[in-house]
Amino acid sequence: MQFPSRWKPLKVLALVTFSLVMAGCTIAKPRTDDPWERWNRKAYAFNDAADRAVIRPVAVGYRKITTPNMRRVLSNFFSNLRMPITMVNNLLQGRPKDFTRSTGRFLVNTTLGLVGFFDPASQMGLKLQEQDFGTTLAKWGVPDGPYLVLPLLGSTTARDVFRFPVDRLADPLSWYASHRDLRLQAQYMPTWLFLITLRSRGIEAEGLLEGVYDPYVFYRDAYRQQRVYRIYDGNPPVEVIELLQGVGEDFDPEELLEEQRSINAAPQKTSDGS
């Protein structure tokens, strides 16, 4: 059904009004349980195997044929290219000032920054502050739901998973791929390059996993903390941080220390299983 053109301003007004109302909702407390852990660990193992076999070697090769400056310039380009996602979600969250700021950053970097390869906007005080539909749902008061690991896509939650299909609607990379049909699926090459740049940045942080008792738990907790900081614009309440850290009224530091000592004292299996 086609709406008359004179109704379009009313549709826009209704969308903005709805966003303002929803933006007034209270952000739900993050969950710390993991009811889907059995599935999540299998998906994590699959992703880890795929990363070791294909994804990481490609990212390592990318780092070998590029310089740090080249990687920085490409990273700037993709960050700017995906800025419409943040702009749209700022509107949906009923935040006109942040929408104006993100739009200004996009325009400055697209023009003065030569289509985003350079980042003069940050020097002008327009710092990068990314938003997505997952953070929009959170600010609308939607609980995050159980933690979820998806094959190839990685960490998310029952709420944040909706950002994948919804944010595609505002993603220029998706626009480009969906309107072309090139040989050998070449229309997806910009998306693949973007993903390679993301994985390449992660190589520098791999040292954080050294000595980690359970990498799955490390990634799960890191994802939850990263999402909380994004939802609260980098300044989450103290009680939320304490909740994620397992600190509450019944928190006993001596019990936690004793538990850590028992883990360290437990005999470690060698590579031959002994």
Side-chain angles (χ1 to χ4, degrees), residues 87-108:
M87 293 158 56
V88 169
N89 280 287
N90 278 332
L91 271 183
L92 293 176
Q93 294 171 22
R95 302 167 65 175
K97 289 184 179 180
D98 288 333
F99 170 75
T100 302
R101 187 179 297 111
S102 59
T103 302
R105 176 183 172 84
F106 177 70
L107 293 176
V108 168

Side-chain angles (χ1 to χ4, degrees), residues 10-274:
L10 295 178
K11 292 168 60 181
V12 174
L13 178 61
L15 176 61
V16 173
T17 302
F18 174 77
S19 300
L20 290 171
V21 171
M22 295 301 294
C25 297
T26 302
I27 298 176
K29 291 183 179 180
R31 289 180 61 164
T32 57
D33 60 342
D34 191 1
W36 297 342
E37 182 174 358
R38 186 174 181 180
W39 156 264
N40 288 338
R41 285 189 177 273
K42 292 180 180 178
Y44 169 80
F46 172 83
N47 290 343
D48 185 58
D51 181 72
R52 293 174 184 273
V54 179
I55 302 173
R56 188 181 187 280
V58 171
V60 171
Y62 166 78
R63 291 177 67 88
K64 288 183 178 180
I65 64 175
T66 58
T67 64
N69 281 337
M70 291 174 62
R71 294 194 292 272
R72 176 178 55 81
V73 166
L74 280 174
S75 180
N76 288 342
F77 171 75
F78 284 118
S79 293
N80 185 67
L81 188 64
R82 290 170 54 83
M83 186 54 60
I85 297 175
T86 293
M87 293 158 56
V88 169
N89 280 287
N90 278 332
L91 271 183
L92 293 176
Q93 294 171 22
R95 302 167 65 175
K97 289 184 179 180
D98 288 333
F99 170 75
T100 302
R101 187 179 297 111
S102 59
T103 302
R105 176 183 172 84
F106 177 70
L107 293 176
V108 168
N109 281 350
T110 301
T111 54
L112 300 181
L114 303 179
V115 298
F117 287 117
F118 301 96
D119 185 17
S122 291
Q123 300 176 7
M124 298 170 62
L126 299 172
K127 300 296 184 181
L128 176 63
Q129 190 176 28
E130 295 178 313
Q131 296 291 330
D132 54 58
F133 193 64
T135 60
T136 295
L137 289 175
K139 291 178 179 180
W140 285 356
V142 179
D144 54 0
Y147 175 70
L148 174 64
V149 181
L150 295 176
L152 298 181
L153 294 178
S155 296
T156 184
T157 65
R159 177 194 64 208
D160 290 348
V161 71
F162 289 99
R163 68 190 174 99
F164 294 117
V166 175
D167 286 341
R168 281 177 58 88
L169 301 176
D171 185 1
L173 290 174
S174 297
W175 298 347
Y176 177 84
S178 62
H179 289 83
R180 286 164 178 79
D181 186 14
L182 305 179
R183 295 180 58 185
L184 304 176
Q185 301 294 303
Q187 67 269 24
Y188 294 105
M189 288 188 64
T191 300
W192 296 335
L193 181 57
F194 166 63
L195 296 176
I196 291 171
T197 62
L198 288 182
R199 183 61 184 91
S200 172
R201 295 208 304 258
I203 291 177
E204 299 176 354
E206 288 180 350
L208 296 174
L209 287 173
E210 295 181 3
V212 171
Y213 181 73
D214 189 339
Y216 165 79
V217 172
F218 175 86
Y219 278 110
R220 181 191 65 197
D221 293 349
Y223 175 81
R224 282 173 164 163
Q225 292 178 23
Q226 182 265 343
R227 294 301 291 176
V228 161
Y229 272 84
R230 179 171 293 188
I231 290 168
Y232 286 97
D233 302 314
N235 189 31
V238 174
E239 57 269 20
V240 171
I241 298 176
E242 291 179 344
L243 178 63
L244 286 178
Q245 295 176 342
V247 178
E249 296 180 355
D250 57 347
F251 174 66
D252 185 352
E254 292 296 331
E255 181 180 350
L256 180 62
L257 182 60
E258 186 61 33
E259 180 181 347
Q260 185 64 44
R261 286 172 179 166
S262 63
I263 293 175
N264 294 337
Q268 302 293 320
K269 290 185 177 181
T270 62
S271 58
D272 59 0
S274 59

